[in-house]
Amino acid sequence: MILFSRMKESPSLRKLGRNRAAMFAMGVISLYMLLFVWITGMQIVGWVGNQTGAFDISERPILGALLTERTSEQVGAKEQPGFGLVSSPEQRIEQVKFYFDRAGRIFTELEQQENSDGESRELVDVLESTRLAERRVADIEINELQAIYNEGIDLFAQQDTLRFLRAIVPKIQIAVEKVDGYQQQIDELKSSATIDTDKQEILFDDLAITLDELVELVGEYVDIIGEDDPLVSIDTSPLVDAVDALFDLEPLDPIYDSGVVEQISQGLDGANDRIEAAVNKKLEQIEPVLAKLYPIPSGVEGMVYKFRMMLGTDKQGRSILLRALYSAKIAIQVGLIVSFFAVFFGSLIGAAAGYFGGAVDHLVIWLYSTFSSIPYLVLLVVLSFMFTGSSIERTLIPLYVAFSLTFWIGPCRVTRGEALKLRSLDYVQAAQALGASKARILLKHILPNTSHLMFINSSLLFIGAIKGEVVLTYLGLGLKDGVSWGNMISQSGSQITAGFFWQIGAATFFMFVLVLAFNVLTDALQDAFDPKHVG
């Protein structure tokens, strides 16, 4: 309270208040802090509810939205984009199929129950097992639900049949080329001085077989594609007549209708695009069926679900937004704890070294010089490895210890230098002359007058702890159970090559905003509270 009142009476706070960038940065930081308080508070409330059995906060759409278990909950298909954007048709097909496959478990289990004499689950439990956060299968009779499911499966089967056409098109093209090749060979044979009848009969047979194959392929294509394709209007009966004549060794003149073959060749132009359009048209028919099978929830649950899906899903179908927000809580938690312990102990040790001098000063200098000689990242890695195999290995405690044992050096150095200057000032000498103890002078006069350094170092170490946690977690040495920006970035490696940037973008954005806000605030604190900058 004394420290706070002294700060309030100084002009430093007024100078800080006039810094608009600093005020905006403090507003951003306050939002992150409110998020931290909210998540932490809900975790405590949830723990109390579980311990007492009085309530289950995880069932509350809003209160339980940011609980730890929600970050690992599957809320949709994998790699769905955010902000309502639409994936490519291929990805949409896979995503829609995911929901139908999930709903199909209901009918598979019900069928198994009918053929089994063992204990079976209630229908409500079976339906609940296919739930995706707030999104559930339609609340209708099971027969109606299965009819909707079967309708979608039939459309998927039709779509798969259309995809089969992609393999037919090149076969038709090859058959057309072979027909042209055989015709050229026959023409060359006829123009020769002597005609080899055996070779001619073989060519007639090969041409007949190829024409027959071409007619069959075109017929198969037409039966599948529908009525809006150029190949549908082509009459292939002249080619059938040509095949019959060739097999009877009484070829027509000309042997076959080249105009029909030319029409087939021209009709293949853009065939792949038309097949793709037909496949996508089926997708447009399947999606409304999905909306009936797995309707988007309404009301409060609908709002919460849309909030979850705002930034899409990762490769496990988990909400990217929830994981990014919860990671902010982890980052702030690491930053607060590490900066507090590092600044507290670093400033206390540094102030003691600067004020007492002598052996205490030499010991502190030796300590921070030794720690400073070890590369920063290497020291963090070594300290993290210390806890490998222990019961706390997969928690945040190894990070707290590693960072606290590393980050105290900076506050210790600057506080020691300030204490060396302060101990020779008149008010410190006067306190000594009045018989004040060294401990009292240290706590009442030295440390309070280094408070500006504590604030600045706290902000710097807060940023350092956040970035350090992200780096170590990315390398697999940080948080192992849970979610943080580090493992979000690590898990998005394969997604980047596929052009999916939502996960790494969310983690980077939230981290960038927080770090930038603290950088701006650190500069403002130094400008306001450092005596060299106060004007």
Side-chain angles (χ1 to χ4, degrees), residues 340-369 371 404-420 442-443 446-447 450 454:
F340 172 78
F341 282 105
V343 170
F344 178 78
F345 289 109
S347 299
L348 185 61
I349 295 171
Y355 177 66
F356 293 116
V360 175
D361 192 26
H362 289 301
L363 177 61
V364 171
I365 292 174
W366 178 83
L367 276 174
Y368 70 61
S369 298
F371 275 89
S404 298
L405 291 176
T406 308
F407 289 177
W408 65 273
I409 299 172
C412 181
R413 274 179 165 172
V414 295
T415 306
R416 173 184 172 274
E418 189 72 11
L420 286 172
L442 179 66
L443 297 175
I446 302 295
L447 280 175
T450 61
M454 294 183 191

Side-chain angles (χ1 to χ4, degrees), residues 8 28 36 47 108 144 219 272 343-344 398 445:
K8 191 174 180 180
V28 172
F36 170 78
W47 180 84
T108 301
E144 296 179 25
N272 288 325
V343 170
F344 178 78
H445 299 288

Side-chain angles (χ1 to χ4, degrees), residues 208 211-212 237-252:
L211 285 173
D212 186 56
S237 59
L239 298 183
V240 176
D241 295 338
V243 170
D244 293 338
L246 284 167
F247 279 131
D248 293 337
L249 298 180
E250 297 177 358
L252 303 174

Side-chain angles (χ1 to χ4, degrees), residues 293-526:
L293 181 70
Y294 256 108
I296 300 294
S298 58
V300 176
E301 287 193 343
M303 293 173 57
V304 173
Y305 185 76
K306 290 175 182 177
F307 175 77
R308 292 179 191 277
M309 300 295 289
M310 189 177 295
L311 295 182
T313 58
D314 64 6
K315 59 184 178 182
Q316 279 83 40
R318 300 170 299 192
S319 169
I320 291 176
L321 179 59
L322 256 62
R323 291 173 68 80
L325 292 175
Y326 191 85
S327 298
K329 180 258 183 186
I330 297 295
I332 293 172
Q333 182 175 316
V334 172
L336 287 174
I337 293 176
V338 170
S339 61
F340 172 78
F341 282 105
V343 170
F344 178 78
F345 289 109
S347 299
L348 185 61
I349 295 171
Y355 177 66
F356 293 116
V360 175
D361 192 26
H362 289 301
L363 177 61
V364 171
I365 292 174
W366 178 83
L367 276 174
Y368 70 61
S369 298
T370 302
F371 275 89
S372 298
S373 64
I374 305 172
Y376 160 72
L377 188 58
V378 173
L379 183 58
L380 284 178
V381 171
V382 171
L383 291 171
S384 296
F385 265 120
M386 287 171 53
F387 297 92
T388 302
S390 66
S391 59
I392 61 173
E393 177 189 2
R394 309 189 72 84
T395 66
L396 286 169
I397 294 176
L399 286 179
Y400 298 150
V401 176
F403 290 148
S404 298
L405 291 176
T406 308
F407 289 177
W408 65 273
I409 299 172
C412 181
R413 274 179 165 172
V414 295
T415 306
R416 173 184 172 274
E418 189 72 11
L420 286 172
K421 182 180 71 175
L422 292 174
R423 71 178 184 178
S424 60
L425 296 182
D426 292 341
Y427 66 87
V428 176
Q429 299 294 328
Q432 290 175 345
L434 290 172
S437 65
K438 290 186 176 182
R440 180 178 178 82
I441 294 173
L442 179 66
L443 297 175
K444 295 292 185 180
H445 299 288
I446 302 295
L447 280 175
N449 283 285
T450 61
S451 59
H452 61 285
L453 299 176
M454 294 183 191
F455 284 115
I456 296 168
N457 277 294
S458 295
S459 182
L460 288 172
L461 294 185
F462 189 95
I463 299 170
I466 291 174
K467 294 190 291 186
E469 183 272 326
V470 170
V471 170
L472 285 182
T473 303
Y474 176 79
L475 295 175
L477 300 171
L479 183 64
K480 295 180 174 61
D481 287 339
V483 57
S484 78
W485 291 326
N487 55 34
M488 287 182 69
I489 295 173
S490 176
Q491 293 166 3
S492 62
S494 59
Q495 297 175 337
I496 295 173
T497 57
F500 189 83
F501 297 95
W502 288 93
Q503 182 161 220
I504 191 173
T508 304
F509 173 78
F510 279 97
M511 182 173 65
F512 169 77
V513 171
L514 181 59
V515 171
L516 179 62
F518 264 97
N519 278 331
V520 173
L521 181 61
T522 299
D523 292 340
L525 287 173
Q526 186 174 7

Side-chain angles (χ1 to χ4, degrees), residues 143-391:
N143 293 334
E144 296 179 25
L145 192 68
Q146 186 161 14
I148 296 172
Y149 170 78
N150 291 337
E151 180 184 356
I153 294 301
D154 289 342
L155 289 170
F156 271 117
Q158 296 172 25
Q159 196 177 59
D160 290 338
T161 304
L162 287 169
R163 289 198 193 93
F164 175 68
L165 292 178
R166 294 172 182 170
I168 295 180
V169 171
K171 291 180 180 179
I172 297 176
Q173 292 173 334
I174 292 172
V176 169
E177 293 171 0
K178 288 171 68 177
V179 166
D180 292 339
Y182 289 138
Q183 181 64 56
Q184 290 177 7
Q185 294 181 49
I186 293 172
D187 292 341
E188 291 173 0
L189 189 63
K190 285 182 177 180
S191 63
S192 62
T194 59
I195 298 176
D196 187 342
T197 56
D198 292 337
K199 185 176 181 180
Q200 188 180 50
E201 288 180 6
I202 293 172
L203 284 174
F204 284 167
D205 287 341
D206 290 340
L207 179 57
I209 291 171
T210 305
L211 285 173
D212 186 56
E213 180 185 3
L214 179 61
V215 171
E216 288 183 3
L217 288 171
V218 171
E220 191 173 1
Y221 180 94
V222 168
D223 290 340
I224 296 174
I225 193 64
E227 299 179 356
D228 299 330
D229 195 272
L231 291 180
V232 175
S233 60
I234 297 176
D235 182 13
T236 57
S237 59
L239 298 183
V240 176
D241 295 338
V243 170
D244 293 338
L246 284 167
F247 279 131
D248 293 337
L249 298 180
E250 297 177 358
L252 303 174
D253 188 20
I255 296 175
Y256 65 89
D257 190 341
S258 59
V260 175
V261 176
E262 182 64 25
Q263 287 180 348
I264 294 173
S265 179
Q266 292 176 355
L268 291 177
D269 293 338
N272 288 325
D273 292 336
R274 296 195 298 272
I275 293 170
E276 196 65 31
V279 171
N280 294 339
K281 187 176 180 180
K282 288 296 178 185
L283 174 62
E284 293 173 0
Q285 295 173 4
I286 295 171
E287 286 177 330
V289 179
L290 173 63
K292 293 189 291 183
L293 181 70
Y294 256 108
I296 300 294
S298 58
V300 176
E301 287 193 343
M303 293 173 57
V304 173
Y305 185 76
K306 290 175 182 177
F307 175 77
R308 292 179 191 277
M309 300 295 289
M310 189 177 295
L311 295 182
T313 58
D314 64 6
K315 59 184 178 182
Q316 279 83 40
R318 300 170 299 192
S319 169
I320 291 176
L321 179 59
L322 256 62
R323 291 173 68 80
L325 292 175
Y326 191 85
S327 298
K329 180 258 183 186
I330 297 295
I332 293 172
Q333 182 175 316
V334 172
L336 287 174
I337 293 176
V338 170
S339 61
F340 172 78
F341 282 105
V343 170
F344 178 78
F345 289 109
S347 299
L348 185 61
I349 295 171
Y355 177 66
F356 293 116
V360 175
D361 192 26
H362 289 301
L363 177 61
V364 171
I365 292 174
W366 178 83
L367 276 174
Y368 70 61
S369 298
T370 302
F371 275 89
S372 298
S373 64
I374 305 172
Y376 160 72
L377 188 58
V378 173
L379 183 58
L380 284 178
V381 171
V382 171
L383 291 171
S384 296
F385 265 120
M386 287 171 53
F387 297 92
T388 302
S390 66
S391 59

